[in-house]
Amino acid sequence: TERTILLAIAGGVATVTLNRPDRLNSFTAAMHAELREALAEAREDASVRCLLLTGAGRGFCAGQDLSDRAVAPGAQGPDLGVSIETNYNPLVRSLRDLPMPVVCAVNGVAAGAGANLALACDIVLAARSASFIQAFCKIGLIPDSGGTWTLPRLVGHARAKGLAMLGEKLSAEQAEAWGMIWKVVDDERLMDEAGALARHLATQPTRGLALTKQALNAASTNDLNTQLDLERDLQREAGRTEDYREGVAAFVAKRAPNFEGR
Ligand code: T3D
């Protein structure tokens, strides 16, 4: 059977492609399991210094595959808490905790958990024709995959509530204008630009970027004093990396640095 997740490692970048295009890459339990495997493989490969996540076909990801979820009247449906605990939460945590930049190339519609999966990544590019839909409210659910946490922080409470309670389609351009994503790219340029960005990041000081990610992630919940302490600790760590030494040496010698990710 066709793999539902594709993993390609080249040039320091692990490209992970959601691959159920005829279902707009919506998630089954098997696909979650394959994605966990791919992320573990990428994480364990010492050559990988950036992860790029995208979708095959015309959609990015339509969230949970709902054909798995229809139940006869009166019958007991699946426990969605178990689904979240086993599949969606570990996925969001693993992207957040991955000690390298995670780039997302949103190639088409991102709906439900698919939208919030994209927003859990560090740098989100979207095709001009892509869109984001907090589709949960239309079927009686709440935004998951971190959406209730991520959305208000990215776009503010007023917009988060509008998106979550109305489930309207938000265009990629509006998402960029609201600061929800990094950048919109013309459709035919998306994968080239996302690939170039990921390959660039893979040549940068990976430890420093991982510590930067850790600090910014923590800032969403820390007060200033706690954050200043954290910056001290993480800067101490960054200052002990070989890439920091190389960065300063290259600057002083007026030459290009050669970062090794250590
Ligand atoms: O259950 C749990 O474990 C809890 C966790 C929940 C997390 C969630 O993500 S809940 C939210 C689930 N997702 C949705 O509600 C979105 C459903 N999809 C849509 O609303 C639309 O498909 C889109 C707005 C995303 C795209 O619309 P459009 O018109 O571009 O495409 P389409 O025709 O609707 O979809 C194309 C095909 O993909 C179609 O199949 P067909 O007619 O060609 O045989 C459609 O049924 C299928 N598809 C799209 N999304 C899903 C799906 N099939 C199963 N599950 C889907 N989520």
Side-chain angles (χ1 to χ4, degrees):
T1 58
E2 181 100 58
R3 292 191 66 81
T4 62
I5 297 293
L6 307 176
L7 172 65
I9 297 178
V13 177
T15 302
V16 175
T17 305
L18 310 175
N19 189 40
R20 294 182 72 230
D22 54 327
R23 304 282 89 188
L24 300 183
N25 305 319
S26 56
F27 275 105
T28 58
M31 181 168 148
H32 272 293
E34 279 190 36
L35 183 51
R36 273 194 294 278
E37 260 176 53
L39 292 177
E41 197 178 327
R43 188 179 175 135
E44 281 154 26
D45 186 325
S47 77
V48 173
R49 292 165 64 186
C50 179
L51 191 114
L52 171 59
L53 178 66
T54 190
R58 75 171 175 90
F60 171 68
C61 174
Q64 170 64 36
D65 187 320
L66 295 176
S67 54
D68 276 12
R69 289 293 182 263
V71 286
Q76 180 83 49
D79 180 336
L80 300 192
V82 171
S83 163
I84 298 292
E85 188 59 31
T86 353
N87 289 328
Y88 292 97
N89 283 356
L91 172 57
V92 169
R93 289 188 177 112
S94 70
L95 294 173
R96 287 283 287 192
D97 295 344
L98 201 67
M100 64 184 72
V102 177
V103 175
C104 187
V106 182
N107 52 298
V109 64
N116 295 333
L117 171 62
L119 301 183
C121 299
D122 299 314
I123 298 190
V124 185
L125 303 182
R128 201 169 295 283
S129 69
S131 56
F132 297 83
I133 312 177
Q134 297 292 324
F136 310 89
C137 58
K138 296 187 187 169
I139 53 172
L141 295 184
I142 73 158
D144 59 25
S145 305
T148 60
W149 191 90
T150 311
L151 278 174
R153 285 173 170 78
L154 289 173
V155 300
H157 277 272
R159 285 167 174 162
K161 283 190 175 145
L163 291 172
M165 293 186 163
L166 297 170
E168 284 173 11
K169 178 191 278 193
L170 188 75
S171 69
E173 285 177 353
Q174 194 66 69
E176 183 196 62
W178 282 5
M180 199 173 93
I181 62 171
W182 173 241
K183 204 167 149 189
V184 171
V185 178
D186 287 336
D187 288 23
E188 63 281 5
R189 295 275 315 135
L190 177 71
M191 291 319 295
D192 281 354
E193 279 212 26
L197 182 69
R199 282 190 301 277
H200 162 73
L201 284 166
T203 66
Q204 295 304 295
T206 307
R207 290 292 306 137
L209 293 182
L211 295 166
T212 299
K213 169 171 174 167
Q214 189 185 333
L216 284 168
N217 286 349
S220 297
T221 45
N222 280 346
D223 62 29
L224 176 61
N225 274 321
T226 311
Q227 192 66 16
L228 289 171
D229 288 349
L230 180 65
E231 286 180 0
R232 174 202 59 212
D233 294 343
L234 299 184
Q235 196 71 297
R236 178 176 292 137
E237 214 176 315
R240 288 175 179 152
T241 62
E242 289 177 28
D243 283 343
Y244 167 62
R245 198 181 308 186
E246 165 66 6
V248 175
F251 178 82
V252 170
K254 299 188 189 294
R255 62 167 173 83
N258 178 25
F259 297 121
E260 309 230 357
R262 283 179 274 130

